[in-house]
Amino acid sequence: MSVHRVYLPDLGHGDFEPGAVLEITGQEARHAVRVKRLMPGDVLEILNGQGLRAVAVLGESRKHPAGHGKTEWAVDVRIESVAQEPPISPRLHVLACAPKLTRVEDMVDQLSQVGAAAWFPLVTRHTLTPPKAERVDKLERVAAEAAKQCGRAWTMEIGSPVPLADALSRTHRAIRPSARLVIADPRGAPYSPDGSTDLALLIGPEAGFTDDEVDAACRAGAMLCSIGPHLMRVGTAAVVASGLILNAEQPR
Amino acid sequence: MSVHRVYLPDLGHGDFEPGAVLEITGQEARHAVRVKRLMPGDVLEILNGQGLRAVAVLGESRKHPAGHGKTEWAVDVRIESVAQEPPISPRLHVLACAPKLTRVEDMVDQLSQVGAAAWFPLVTRHTLTPPKAERVDKLERVAAEAAKQCGRAWTMEIGSPVPLADALSRTHRAIRPSARLVIADPRGAPYSPDGSTDLALLIGPEAGFTDDEVDAACRAGAMLCSIGPHLMRVGTAAVVASGLILNAEQPR
């Protein structure tokens, strides 16, 4: 059994001195006590999504009045140790066209699990409409939930739409000037690592990049990279390509 | 736009002589004419899931009486060319514990896209119940649909449950005696290809393999292979590990 994790994005490093006792309320408290049925003395892990990982021990739990005759759970946890982890290296920004309906949530969930630093909806000639603002809130919750499940110390960022031209000219903040550009394309070569610590992966829409778009990417220095024997849908292509890149660029 | 594909698993190679005219009925006929609105002269591709890939041109379409006052669509297609493709190499059998609910369908769909030869539900100490027989029918439809979408000439096989001990002793038909055994585990080394043409990938349940199970796998010669910086859920781990192996073992 893996350790139970609590996600507290509003807390900073200063709130987590070893020995301190912290009161947790809201959904995270209720989930720990009522769903997971943790008991005093049980160990849990606290993440804030910004690199902090604290080990804590559960203390007393109680119900607070929460107005309108309702109550909410509160639990005390005693901090045992605190560490601040660096973000995953290499830093992989995935610029992928948003797939349809709930598939965009599945993609965000899987990119979080595999270890991408951020996802930005890519806008190309054949792109469907990027997710609306209210959808972004939901996607941020999906990324946070995946971070909890996988024990990611840094939550994956959900960015705003990036036109392909801005990505290729590296004028968009999603792409650092030194980043290696990789574009998934069946005409490409197998991925070969070059020690990059910053990468931007471009994944086209279901209908594909146009020939002009691929030409422009090549002129901008993008590596055309084949990622398998078949065509894949956007979400699968994004997670498979991310897995290839992150594993290939890991220090050995 | 990609070419429209028709999936006809009941037809063999002999039914596809170039120049022959074939009548297609049922859902595939209706889908081509009413949903995709293909017109006479349009080109389509026919797959039988067993390596056959035929290029055909649409002819006339008509409605047949289908009993009970209903009608069904029928379309004529003229075969232009026929090819028999070999299965994907390397042949990757994925033995992964079945995830919960619809996640098993998502996993089968993604393993099909990435190019696995077969999926077998792995049974370990902490495995949930493997899918029931009626579920297998549904999973075979998911695999066939993914084959159509990705243009896979060979449909991924859905196998019956394999106990871990049978997989490790290579007494189960899912594992050829010469197959390389790979087990996804965070303690492992990065995947390195060795030119294997036959592989069996073992993916544990959400609760993980037990230490005894991992020890037994190592004694059986399995390679412990790390697949990323985080823990992943079963379906994501299976598709990421498959992508790593299939791409690493591709001839370059």
Side-chain angles (χ1 to χ4, degrees), chain A residues 88 109-110 112-115 149-150 152 190-191 226-233 236 239-240 243-244 247 252, chain B residues 88 109-110 112-115 149-150 152 190-191 226-233 236 239-240 243-244 247 252:
Chain A
I88 294 162
D109 176 36
Q110 291 195 307
S112 294
Q113 293 177 59
V114 81
Q149 285 207 356
C150 306
R152 262 186 84 132
Y191 185 76
S226 89
I227 60 171
H230 301 128
L231 291 177
M232 301 179 207
R233 281 198 303 272
T236 307
V239 72
V240 167
L244 286 174
N247 280 283
R252 311 210 160 193
Chain B
I88 294 162
D109 175 36
Q110 291 195 308
S112 293
Q113 293 177 58
V114 80
Q149 284 207 356
C150 306
R152 261 185 84 131
Y191 185 76
S226 87
I227 59 170
H230 302 128
L231 291 178
M232 300 180 207
R233 280 199 303 270
T236 306
V239 72
V240 167
L244 286 174
N247 281 283
R252 312 211 160 192

Side-chain angles (χ1 to χ4, degrees), chain A residues 58-83:
Chain A
L58 199 72
E60 296 302 311
S61 59
R62 71 197 76 85
K63 278 185 172 181
H64 276 317
H68 304 287
K70 293 187 175 169
T71 55
E72 72 164 6
W73 282 93
V75 297
D76 290 336
V77 299
R78 194 182 67 247
I79 307 298
E80 296 285 305
S81 67
V82 184

Side-chain angles (χ1 to χ4, degrees), chain B residues 21-218:
Chain B
V21 173
L22 206 73
E23 185 184 59
I24 300 175
T25 57
Q27 278 303 317
E28 287 287 13
R30 188 181 172 284
H31 191 246
V33 178
R34 299 298 291 172
V35 180
K36 292 292 179 171
R37 300 194 174 277
L38 300 188
M39 304 294 286
D42 281 350
V43 173
L44 45 80
E45 198 170 78
I46 301 175
L47 304 172
N48 73 348
Q50 300 295 314
L52 181 138
R53 188 188 305 272
V55 176
V57 173
L58 199 72
E60 295 301 312
S61 59
R62 71 197 78 84
K63 279 185 171 181
H64 277 317
H68 303 287
K70 293 188 175 168
T71 54
E72 72 164 5
W73 282 92
V75 296
D76 290 336
V77 300
R78 196 182 67 246
I79 307 298
E80 297 284 304
S81 68
V82 184
Q84 178 67 23
E85 296 185 6
I88 294 162
S89 179
R91 202 175 98 106
L92 175 63
H93 280 187
V94 178
L95 284 73
C97 293
K100 278 182 278 192
L101 304 171
T102 62
R103 288 200 192 276
V104 64
E105 292 169 25
D106 294 340
M107 184 176 75
V108 163
D109 175 36
Q110 291 195 308
L111 289 176
S112 293
Q113 293 177 58
V114 80
W119 170 64
F120 291 79
L122 183 64
V123 181
T124 69
R125 176 80 188 277
H126 293 312
T127 302
L128 302 167
T129 319
K132 294 194 175 62
E134 67 269 24
R135 201 67 190 277
V136 171
D137 285 353
K138 167 71 178 165
L139 295 177
E140 285 175 344
R141 288 198 298 278
V142 170
E145 189 55 40
K148 254 179 80 168
Q149 284 207 356
C150 306
R152 261 185 84 131
W154 289 84
T155 300
M156 189 177 84
E157 183 191 350
I158 308 294
S160 37
V162 180
L164 180 64
D166 292 358
L168 296 181
S169 63
R170 300 171 194 233
T171 54
H172 193 279
R173 71 162 193 89
I175 312 248
R176 292 191 183 173
S178 61
R180 183 182 204 191
L181 283 184
V182 180
I183 183 165
D185 189 283
R187 288 162 288 185
Y191 185 76
S192 54
D194 71 350
S196 292
T197 55
D198 247 288
L199 296 112
L201 169 66
L202 308 180
I203 303 277
E206 300 294 344
F209 290 112
T210 66
D211 289 344
D212 285 353
E213 287 174 334
V214 172
D215 289 348
C218 290

